[in-house]
């Protein structure tokens, strides 16, 4: 069965793009969330194999959401999606337990690599 | 991956973020302490930057990035919210809009970006992470001091040099290096790195770095552990046979590390403010995950199909009626309910809140007020009122024109207002509400009002009306002259509401939408413009009448009542035929006459439809009245002689064609 991925980003544009990349690489999109709160909620419901987590989001940012998800499931696979210039936030996310990061503008090759490194 | 399919989504979503930026900056200007608005704008700029970057729209991305930096400093309290900075940000937003809509209009982008950067006091750095400082040492060898050398000698296991080459487009190389160090941690002892760990932490490295490592593990184990790290291109592991290969030197502390503390300070602040924003935000309106976006064209074609269905249903109904097929008629009733429901459902899908247009106005009013040095308080009511999408698209320009007029010509300068004992701040109220099958939009101001005497003079001057014509006009009729083609109340066409577009253009637009506009104005007190628009364009309720064997539909919304006029009730005043009804005098209009048909009424009674247009009543005399009917409007393209009197065509149940009357046009002159 294909591995399931939860996509978290407040921009529909990014979600759609990630979704396409996820599917192109033979994985399945478990669900999408538009902020950290929703991400945590959907993680509980779906227990996906991996989460792609945007950092800058309303309500709850990706760092806090990563923390909460790691509290729920210490084996959770979270990949944070950061922008250039967000290095401190990426560091914080990695400290919070994120396994990897990708940097926007996202490149299909990098997304593939990050997904495969964790899931294959 | 093919980016084209994302174009449209990018366009609509970036539009939304630009709207958020506009709204948030406006709110922020009035409430400079409102940090949530700063966060809001920051997020919008940030998201735009990321989206544009992914699409390869570098200019948008760079501009958004420059905005983001300013917003970040606003957030950190490093700069204050001033009109100057808000103006600068607004200019950036405008140019972001232009970059996607009308790139030719974009001002000097580089200059603007430079201005934005200067504002943050950051004119060197482009985007963080790209500063390639050459690695402090290009030396392939590790320079060990005495302690390190002893450690290497004393620790059991092999000494290896691990050479890691990162992918050249890797952004945060230091973080990848960190991940390498983390992965190695459990497998042995890290002695030294080249460039130094401190330099690596400061991104002072190229694609390649080397690690001197003590381990008991095999090469394969090490290589496996590292290959799972993203953006690591190649790993070379080499066992050091002879420790003498490692040149021993006094360790040099890099002088470049001085600014480290400041960077850390910024980091802390940054992450702290990140955690705060949890309050309800404007952008929450964007995220209802259970909605989908549908192309308006698709809705249009669905609408057309439903319209066809309505026509076909009426056709079957009319067959049932003419052959007295009671059973069929009974069966048709539920069908007709379903089609009506379906029609309503499709209509509803096309309905969008008028806030889509109204949202632009706070910004417009702000800019105008600033340009004209007036104080304006804009009040908006009823922005949730829904209207057909097609109409929404069309009313933007007329509304902009009317609002400009109110602010430019209506509201007086603050000093003048004070002289007149009015509050310094002028009020412009924009409201929308439903009224029957119409949506009413009002633009009200408490400005100078429209002086009929001034209009009169101008109208004569411009040749819009002759002095003798004006003599017979009421004040209201004179004011209505501003809708006449070629009329403009302002002598010198001002920058703001001039632009060669007159009120006649506004009126024409409303006519073409089956709507109407009228003015109420009191000198010294202000003016109110009232626009009436049909809820939807495509299907209207009307009364079917015949005039000289042709069927005409009179839209229900203008009809007051239907009466049979006896010839003896008709009086002639100033060569006009009128009837008295409920205390008012109603002029009669023969549609035969108006539509260029032979005018001979021989009947005893004349069927007359009383219509109300701009608070006046008129009686439209027709040959006969068939009854109320729902008709689907079809556009008529060929220009017949009566084209301005006809609003459109409709196909009736029996397949015949009826023309929809433009009642307003009929009652003029």
């Amino acid at each position: 069965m294909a591995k399931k991925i939860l996509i978290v980003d407040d921009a529909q544009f990014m979600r759609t793009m990630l979704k396409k990349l996820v599917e192109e690489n033979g994985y399945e999109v478990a669900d999408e969330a538009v902020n950290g709160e929703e991400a945590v909620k959907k993680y509980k419901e779906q227990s996906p194999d991996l989460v792609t987590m945007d950092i800058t989001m309303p309500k709850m940012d990706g760092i806090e959401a990563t923390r909460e998800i790691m509290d729920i499931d210490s084996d959770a696979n979270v990949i944070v999606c950061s922008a250039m210039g967000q290095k401190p936030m990426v560091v914080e996310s990695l400290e919070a337990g994120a396994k990897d990061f990708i940097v926007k503008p996202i490149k299909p090759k990098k997304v593939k690599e990050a997904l495969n490194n964790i899931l294959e | 991956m093919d980016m084209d399919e994302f174009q449209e989504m990018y366009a609509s979503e970036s539009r939304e973020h630009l709207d958020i930026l506009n709204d948030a900056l406006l709110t922020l200007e009035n409430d400079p302490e409102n940090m949530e608005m700063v966060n809001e704008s920051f997020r919008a700029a940030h998201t735009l930057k990321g989206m544009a970057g992914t699409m390869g729209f570098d200019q948008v991305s760079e501009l958004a990035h420059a905005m983001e930096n300013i917003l970040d400093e606003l957030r950190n309290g490093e700069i204050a919210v001033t009109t100057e900075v808000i103006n600068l940000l607004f200019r950036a937003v405008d140019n972001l809009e232009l970059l996607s809509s009308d790139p030719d209009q974009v001002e000097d982008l580089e200059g603007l970006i430079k201005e934005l950067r200067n504002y943050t006091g950051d004119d060197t750095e482009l985007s963080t992470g790209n500063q390639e400082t050459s690695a402090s040492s290009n030396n392939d060898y590790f320079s060990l001091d005495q302690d390190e050398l002893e450690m290497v000698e004393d620790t059991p296991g092999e000494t290896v040099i691990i050479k890691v080459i990162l992918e050249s487009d890797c952004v945060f190389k230091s973080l990848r290096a960190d991940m390498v160090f983390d992965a190695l941690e459990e497998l042995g002892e890290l002695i030294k790195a080249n460039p130094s760990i401190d330099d690596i932490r400061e991104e002072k490295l190229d694609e390649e770095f080397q690690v001197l490592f003590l381990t008991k593990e095999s090469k394969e184990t090490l290589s496996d552990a590292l290959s799972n790290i993203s953006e690591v291109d190649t790993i070379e592991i080499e066992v050091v046979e002879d420790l003498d290969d490692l040149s021993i030197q006094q360790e040099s502390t890099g002088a470049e590390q001085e600014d480290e503390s400041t960077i850390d300070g910024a980091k802390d602040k940054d992450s702290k403010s990140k955690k705060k924003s949890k309050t309800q935000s404007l952008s929450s309106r964007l995220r209802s995950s259970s909605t989908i976006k549908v192309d308006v064209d698709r809705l249009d074609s669905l609408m057309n199909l439903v319209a066809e269905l309505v026509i076909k249903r009426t056709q079957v109904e009319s067959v049932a009626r003419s052959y007295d097929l009671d059973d069929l008629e009974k069966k048709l009733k539920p069908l007709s309910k379903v089609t009506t429901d379906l029609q309503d459902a499709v209509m509803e899908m096309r309905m969008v809140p008028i806030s889509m247009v109204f949202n632009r106005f706070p910004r417009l009013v702000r800019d105008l007020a600033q340009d004209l040095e007036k104080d304006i308080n804009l009040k908006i009511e009823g922005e949730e009122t829904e209207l057909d999408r097609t109409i929404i698209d069309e009313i933007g320009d007329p509304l902009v024109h009317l609002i400009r007029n109110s602010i430019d010509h209506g509201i007086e300068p603050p000093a003048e207002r004070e002289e007149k004992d009015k509050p310094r701040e002028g009020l412009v109220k924009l409201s929308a509400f439903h009224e029957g099958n119409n949506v009413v939009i009002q633009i009200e101001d408490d400005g100078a009002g429209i002086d009929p005497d001034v209009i009169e003079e101008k109208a004569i001057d411009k040749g819009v009306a002759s002095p003798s014509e004006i003599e017979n006009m009421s004040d209201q009729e004179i004011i209505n002259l501003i809708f006449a083609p070629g009329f403009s109340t302002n002598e010198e066409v001002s920058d703001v509401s001039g632009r060669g577009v007159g009120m006649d253009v506004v009126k024409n637009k409303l006519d073409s939408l089956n709507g109407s506009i009228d003015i109420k104005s009191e000198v010294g007190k202000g003016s109110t413009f009232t626009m009436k628009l049909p809820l939807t364009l495509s299907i209207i309720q009307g009364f079917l009448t015949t005039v000289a064997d042709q069927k005409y539909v009179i839209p229900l919304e203008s009809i007051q009542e239907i009466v049979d006029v006896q010839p003896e009730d008709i009086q002639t005043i100033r060569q006009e035929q009128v009837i008295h009804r409920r205390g008012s005098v109603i002029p009669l209009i023969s549609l035969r006459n108006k539509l260029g048909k032979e005018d001979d009424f021989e009947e005893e009674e004349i069927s007359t439809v009383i219509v109300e247009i701009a608070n006046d009543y008129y009686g439209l005399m027709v040959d006969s009245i068939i009854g109320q009917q729902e008709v689907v409007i079809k556009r008529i393209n060929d220009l017949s002689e009566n084209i301005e009197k006809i609003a459109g065509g409709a196909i009736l149940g029996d397949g015949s064609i009826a023309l929809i009357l433009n009642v307003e046009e009929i009652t003029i002159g």
Side-chain angles (χ1 to χ4, degrees):
Chain A
M1 214 177 65
K3 296 271 175 54
K4 290 206 179 103
I5 294 175
L6 172 64
I7 296 176
V8 188
D9 200 304
D10 59 338
Q12 192 193 358
F13 172 80
M14 292 306 299
R15 290 199 304 275
T16 312
M17 182 138 322
L18 281 165
K19 181 172 193 261
K20 194 175 156 87
L21 290 170
V22 161
E23 285 166 356
E24 272 177 8
N25 287 303
Y27 302 112
E28 203 175 292
V29 174
D31 209 338
E32 296 175 18
V34 299
N35 59 50
E37 260 176 36
E38 201 179 273
V40 175
K41 188 172 148 267
K42 291 198 166 163
Y43 191 90
K44 281 187 205 157
E45 289 167 9
Q46 316 260 357
S47 315
D49 297 297
L50 188 144
V51 183
T52 70
M53 180 74 77
D54 184 29
I55 293 183
T56 314
M57 288 185 294
K59 283 194 184 169
M60 183 195 286
D61 66 27
I63 302 172
E64 187 56 34
T66 303
R67 248 178 231 126
E68 297 204 4
I69 286 176
M70 297 310 294
D71 280 348
I72 301 166
D73 174 5
S74 57
D75 291 330
N77 292 314
V78 177
I79 297 181
V80 287
C81 303
S82 85
M84 301 243 197
Q86 279 190 323
K87 189 173 150 196
M89 273 80 103
V90 177
V91 173
E92 218 182 317
S93 315
L94 292 172
E95 280 164 10
K99 294 267 191 307
D100 202 350
F101 64 90
I102 41 185
V103 183
K104 294 177 195 172
I106 56 173
K107 298 189 175 114
K109 188 185 73 155
K110 305 262 173 180
V111 176
K112 180 181 178 173
E113 185 185 9
L115 295 178
N116 290 349
N117 272 341
I118 294 180
L119 294 175
E120 295 294 294
Chain B
M1 191 164 55
D2 184 14
M3 288 290 175
D4 285 353
E5 56 184 297
F6 291 102
Q7 279 279 13
E8 206 170 304
M9 180 178 288
Y10 169 80
S12 80
E13 203 166 339
S14 63
R15 171 78 258 156
E16 284 167 358
H17 289 292
L18 287 172
D19 285 348
I20 290 178
L21 270 172
N22 254 324
D23 287 355
L25 290 175
L26 271 176
T27 316
L28 183 64
E29 187 178 36
N30 295 321
D31 181 9
E33 301 294 304
N34 193 335
M35 275 302 118
E36 181 49 32
M37 287 304 115
V38 179
N39 286 329
E40 186 83 38
S41 321
F42 177 84
R43 278 198 295 270
H46 179 81
T47 308
L48 268 174
K49 180 186 73 173
M51 283 164 52
T54 306
M55 291 296 290
F57 299 152
D58 296 340
Q59 289 180 311
V60 175
S61 183
E62 209 176 310
L63 189 51
H65 182 73
M67 285 186 76
E68 194 187 335
N69 286 343
I70 291 194
L71 288 162
D72 196 35
E73 297 203 355
L74 284 173
R75 188 162 70 170
N76 296 336
E78 281 162 39
I79 49 178
V81 178
T82 57
T83 312
E84 195 190 351
V85 71
I86 296 276
N87 277 344
L88 188 58
L89 289 169
F90 269 135
R91 255 175 67 208
V93 173
D94 289 346
N95 281 286
L96 282 173
E97 277 184 58
L98 288 172
L99 277 171
S100 43
S101 61
D102 194 359
D104 294 344
Q105 297 293 316
V106 174
E107 64 172 294
D108 165 32
L109 260 194
E110 273 175 38
L112 178 60
I113 290 172
K114 203 174 271 170
E115 248 181 274
L116 288 161
R117 286 211 191 110
N118 284 342
Y119 211 91
T120 53
D122 151 33
D123 46 3
T124 48
E125 188 196 14
L126 231 177
S127 53
T128 31
N130 278 352
Q131 321 149 266
E132 296 288 355
T133 326
S134 61
S136 57
S137 159
N138 289 324
N139 190 349
D140 266 4
Y141 294 101
F142 287 91
S143 324
L144 299 187
D145 59 25
Q146 201 56 44
D147 290 349
E148 286 163 340
L149 193 61
E150 275 169 23
M151 193 172 163
V152 172
E153 281 166 344
D154 294 350
T155 316
E158 277 183 310
T159 306
V160 293
I161 292 177
I162 305 172
K163 186 166 148 189
V164 180
I165 301 174
L166 296 172
E167 286 167 16
S168 58
D169 55 356
C170 173
V171 181
F172 301 136
K173 298 191 177 67
S174 63
L175 295 183
R176 292 303 176 199
D178 251 348
M179 289 171 86
V180 169
F181 300 156
D182 280 354
L184 289 174
E185 204 175 5
E186 290 166 17
L187 303 172
E189 198 77 39
L190 196 153
I191 306 294
K192 210 169 170 127
N194 183 21
S196 75
I197 292 186
D198 286 339
D199 280 353
I200 289 179
R201 293 244 156 94
E202 284 180 54
E203 296 282 352
K204 286 176 184 163
L205 76 159
D206 293 324
E207 283 93 70
E208 184 187 317
F209 64 94
Q210 299 184 24
V211 180
L212 185 65
F213 194 64
L214 293 176
T215 184
K216 289 178 196 162
E217 308 290 338
S218 68
K219 273 190 183 180
E220 286 70 33
T221 319
L222 292 178
S223 149
D224 279 355
L226 301 183
S227 64
N228 258 353
I229 296 167
S230 298
E231 296 185 298
V232 168
D233 195 45
T234 35
I235 300 156
E236 286 167 27
I237 301 173
E238 181 195 336
V239 179
V240 182
E241 305 293 352
D242 186 355
L243 284 181
D244 292 343
D245 284 352
L246 304 168
S247 54
I248 300 164
Q249 271 174 31
Q250 204 61 33
E251 197 185 358
S252 63
T253 29
E256 303 92 337
Q257 296 168 16
E258 276 162 22
D259 53 355
E260 191 178 18
S261 54
T262 51
I263 291 176
D264 281 348
K267 258 188 223 171
D268 281 345
K269 217 186 260 171
D270 215 4
S271 49
K272 241 179 260 162
S273 57
K274 278 260 98 174
K275 284 180 213 156
K276 281 193 296 199
S277 57
K278 283 190 182 174
T279 28
Q280 178 66 32
S281 62
L282 279 176
S283 46
S284 58
R285 68 173 180 219
L286 288 182
R287 38 200 110 279
S288 39
S289 47
S290 54
T291 55
I292 56 163
K293 288 180 181 166
V294 181
D295 199 319
V296 181
D297 287 348
R298 288 202 201 171
L299 281 184
D300 280 347
S301 61
L302 180 59
M303 189 71 199
N304 280 336
L305 287 175
V306 172
E308 295 294 326
L309 186 64
V310 171
I311 293 170
K312 297 288 182 290
R313 182 198 76 199
T314 346
Q315 284 172 353
V316 179
E317 276 172 351
S318 90
V319 171
R321 225 169 298 136
S322 24
Y323 292 91
D324 266 341
L325 305 171
D326 279 354
D327 278 357
L328 182 57
E329 262 194 276
K330 255 183 230 155
K331 289 264 155 44
L332 279 174
K333 282 229 170 84
L335 176 67
S336 110
K337 187 179 178 319
V338 173
T339 47
T340 310
D341 288 352
L342 179 61
Q343 191 185 311
D344 288 349
V346 178
M347 299 274 199
E348 212 164 285
M349 276 198 253
R350 296 171 49 94
M351 299 295 246
V352 285
I354 203 161
S355 55
M356 269 187 70
V357 207
F358 280 11
N359 278 346
R360 295 156 51 180
F361 297 141
R363 174 71 199 282
L364 175 79
V365 170
R366 170 204 180 265
D367 287 358
L368 283 177
Q370 215 175 46
D371 286 354
L372 298 166
E373 291 172 359
K374 291 179 181 179
D375 286 345
I376 310 280
N377 173 18
L378 175 71
K379 266 197 179 160
I380 293 184
E381 281 173 14
E383 69 239 78
E384 70 288 341
T385 311
E386 291 192 322
L387 254 178
D388 192 284
R389 171 74 201 225
T390 326
I391 300 177
I392 293 270
D393 288 345
E394 298 287 329
I395 56 166
D397 289 347
L399 277 174
V400 168
H401 189 75
L402 291 174
I403 290 174
R404 284 198 158 127
N405 267 334
S406 283
I407 294 172
D408 195 11
H409 306 316
I411 305 288
E412 312 88 335
E416 193 181 323
R417 289 180 64 89
E418 276 181 343
E419 269 168 41
K420 290 182 182 172
D421 276 339
K422 286 177 168 184
R424 272 183 75 86
E425 194 178 56
L427 177 73
V428 176
K429 197 172 125 190
L430 188 61
S431 52
F433 52 91
H434 285 287
E435 194 183 80
N437 246 347
N438 289 305
V439 168
V440 179
I441 303 172
Q442 281 184 331
I443 299 119
E444 204 179 328
D445 69 64
D446 67 347
I450 301 169
D451 186 348
D453 293 344
V454 176
I455 304 290
E456 188 178 320
E457 213 173 288
K458 294 273 153 62
I460 295 169
D461 195 39
K462 298 260 154 102
V464 171
S466 66
S468 57
E469 280 173 310
I470 287 184
E471 211 169 298
N472 290 326
M473 286 185 181
S474 65
D475 278 0
Q476 184 62 49
E477 283 170 315
I478 292 173
I479 289 177
N480 281 340
L481 284 174
I482 67 169
F483 291 124
F487 189 96
S488 164
T489 44
N490 218 16
E491 271 182 347
E492 68 275 32
V493 173
S494 81
D495 231 17
V496 176
S497 39
R499 299 208 173 181
V501 187
M503 290 294 278
D504 57 322
V505 176
V506 172
K507 186 168 167 15
N508 283 344
K509 180 55 97 184
L510 282 155
D511 283 349
S512 74
L513 294 171
N514 265 327
S516 64
I517 179 164
D518 58 2
I519 321 169
K520 288 244 162 31
S521 185
E522 206 175 323
V523 178
K525 293 250 174 89
S527 317
T528 305
F529 289 82
T530 306
M531 295 165 65
K532 259 191 198 178
L533 290 156
L535 263 184
T536 171
L537 280 180
S538 316
I539 299 187
I540 61 162
Q541 293 278 340
F543 258 84
L544 199 57
T545 64
T546 56
V547 176
D549 292 332
Q550 168 67 52
K551 287 176 185 139
Y552 290 93
V553 177
I554 300 174
L556 195 63
E557 66 213 24
S558 49
I559 297 178
Q560 287 304 305
E561 59 179 328
I562 291 174
V563 292
D564 288 330
V565 174
Q566 311 296 330
E568 60 266 28
D569 291 340
I570 301 178
Q571 296 181 351
T572 306
I573 299 176
R574 289 199 208 115
Q575 283 145 20
E576 258 191 277
Q577 292 194 313
V578 299
I579 51 168
H580 286 273
R581 199 153 174 86
R582 295 188 187 133
S584 54
V585 179
I586 299 175
L588 291 177
I589 295 169
S590 159
L591 283 186
R592 278 183 174 244
N593 198 346
K594 279 282 169 187
L595 297 165
K597 315 274 185 195
E598 213 175 304
D599 191 1
D600 53 342
F601 282 109
E602 281 156 8
E603 291 94 312
E604 291 286 284
E605 303 176 329
I606 304 160
S607 299
T608 303
V609 180
I610 313 265
V611 293
E612 185 197 341
I613 297 296
N615 298 322
D616 288 323
Y617 293 97
Y618 301 89
L620 304 180
M621 298 190 288
V622 298
D623 292 3
S624 66
I625 287 171
I626 300 171
Q628 187 176 338
Q629 191 155 3
E630 191 168 75
V631 294
V632 179
I633 302 177
K634 296 271 174 189
R635 292 225 176 276
I636 300 181
N637 292 323
D638 71 311
L639 293 160
S640 72
E641 46 183 323
N642 283 320
I643 193 69
E644 74 279 2
K645 298 190 178 78
I646 304 298
I651 301 166
L652 301 176
D654 61 4
S656 65
I657 288 175
L659 298 173
I660 299 162
L661 287 178
N662 183 345
V663 180
E664 222 162 297
E665 201 57 48
I666 297 265
T667 55
I668 292 171

